[in-house]
Structure formats: structure tokens, C-alpha cells
Amino acid sequence: MEELAAKAGITVRTLRFYRERGLIPPPRRQGRIAWYDERHLARLHTIAALLERGHTLSGIADLTAAFESGRDAGEALGLVEPTEETPVRLTPEALADHFAGEVTPENLAAALDLGYLAVDGEEIVHISRRLLDVSAALVREGIPLAAVLAAGREVRAHADALARLFVDLLHTHASDTDLDRLRPLAKHVVEAELSLAMDRRVAEGADGS
């Protein structure tokens, strides 16, 4: 314990307090000896970084509980197996930097439930670099992360319906070997229709409709 506290730059008393609050996992015990490892040191560094970013110990404890109850990265990536999206590995403090002040236990739980995030040891895996960048950009524009995630849930439902439509269409009128080749055509249709639909919505708003 003394060695771990020294490496983390904290007192043994603080380390004991973190243990009592459940902020770090218990040590591996061998007889009367308690062994700490790099995983514990990484957690302490994360706690220090989150404290510097304005998170409270209670908030960090809630976030830790959410992380530990989240879907494992292997399970999440195994279920999705993205073919075009690039997963991103983040530390908890890096995630906090992307969404300053918005990384709450509630938002974290929603992102885990959507499958945007998964947990891999002391790291977090975001399923898509593009979704991460767009979500962060929307939050920087002043849109609450909770609203972004709620919209993401609705988009997911509509996207699943569109994917089913196009996959069924191609299964009916093309061979399975053509699916990958024709996949970009479906994306172009969706992008064009979304662009036209947004034009209509903006025009309706301008007309006071």
C-alpha cells in the first residue's frame, strides 16, 4: 500500500479512503499480503485527472460503478464487428475532455446501453470515431449530451429500418456477393434523402408552418 501511494503521489490515508469509497478495486491477497498492480495505479491516475477536471469523489464513484457494470469491449465489438467504422480507445479522463462537464453516470449509462461505449480494463472503447467526433462537436455547439444521446437512440431505430429495407431489396434483386459492392449506393440514397428532407424542414420553419 505504501509503495502504491508513493507512486500515485498520494498519502496512504488517502489511498485507504479511496478503498473504503470503492474507488479502486480490492488488492489481490496472498495470505496476509495485499498485492497492488499497474491496474490500481492507472485507476489512481484516472481519479487524480478527473478531480483536476472538476469531478467530485461522489461523481467519480458513480462513474466507476457505471464503467464496471458496462458491456465488455470484446462482447460489444463481437456483436457489432464494424466493417467501415474505426473504434477509438480512450482513457476516462480523455472521454471527460471530449465532453467537458457532460460525462455523468446517466449519460455514461445511456452511451453504454446504446453500444456507443464499452469497457476494456481501465480503458473505454467508442465504437465509431465518426460518431465520437460528431457527438463532441454537437456538445461544443451547446447541445446537451443527454439530448444528443436521445437523438442517437431515435436515429439508431430509423437506421435499422433503412438498413433492413436496403438489405432486403438487395437480397431480392441481387446476389449476396453484390452486397458489399452495392452498399455505397444505399448510403448515397440515404444521404440525398436526408439532405432533401432537411431542406423541406428548414423551408417549413421559415414559412412559419
Side-chain angles (χ1 to χ4, degrees):
M1 181 177 286
E2 289 80 4
E3 184 181 353
L4 177 63
K7 286 189 175 183
I10 60 176
T11 65
V12 172
R13 182 178 180 181
T14 298
L15 179 56
R16 286 199 179 99
F17 177 72
Y18 287 170
R19 274 188 53 187
E20 291 168 0
R21 293 290 299 272
L23 292 169
I24 63 171
R28 178 176 61 86
R29 293 201 170 274
Q30 187 174 11
R32 299 182 64 183
I33 302 175
W35 294 99
Y36 294 91
D37 55 28
E38 292 300 319
R39 184 171 58 114
H40 295 91
L41 184 59
R43 176 66 62 85
L44 291 171
H45 286 159
T46 293
I47 292 170
L50 292 175
L51 285 172
E52 288 180 3
R53 287 159 174 77
H55 291 266
T56 65
L57 285 177
S58 294
I60 294 172
D62 289 340
L63 290 174
T64 298
F67 285 138
E68 292 178 348
S69 65
R71 176 177 287 172
D72 175 79
E75 177 191 358
L77 295 176
L79 288 173
V80 179
E81 296 181 359
T83 57
E84 294 181 298
E85 299 305 307
T86 303
V88 183
R89 288 184 171 273
L90 301 160
T91 61
E93 55 265 36
L95 182 68
D97 286 343
H98 270 83
F99 303 100
E102 295 279 333
V103 181
T104 64
E106 294 77 15
N107 286 338
L108 181 61
L112 288 165
D113 184 55
L114 268 169
Y116 285 174
L117 298 180
V119 180
D120 188 11
E122 292 295 321
E123 288 187 313
I124 301 163
V125 179
H126 196 293
I127 199 69
S128 165
R129 163 64 71 182
R130 288 196 292 180
L131 285 175
L132 173 65
D133 290 345
V134 169
S135 299
L138 290 170
V139 170
R140 287 195 298 271
E141 292 295 327
I143 301 174
L145 181 55
V148 172
L149 291 171
R153 188 175 296 279
E154 290 195 46
V155 169
R156 170 73 58 82
H158 292 299
D160 282 342
L162 288 168
R164 186 179 302 109
L165 186 156
F166 281 109
V167 170
D168 289 348
L169 179 70
L170 295 178
H171 274 314
T172 301
H173 300 285
S175 67
D176 290 345
T177 57
D178 290 329
L179 284 175
D180 286 340
R181 182 173 60 83
L182 298 177
R183 179 171 174 161
L185 300 180
K187 292 165 61 178
H188 290 324
V189 171
V190 172
E191 288 180 6
E193 286 289 359
L194 178 59
S195 179
L196 292 168
M198 291 190 74
D199 288 341
R200 291 193 296 271
R201 286 290 184 181
V202 171
E204 289 172 5
D207 292 340
S209 304

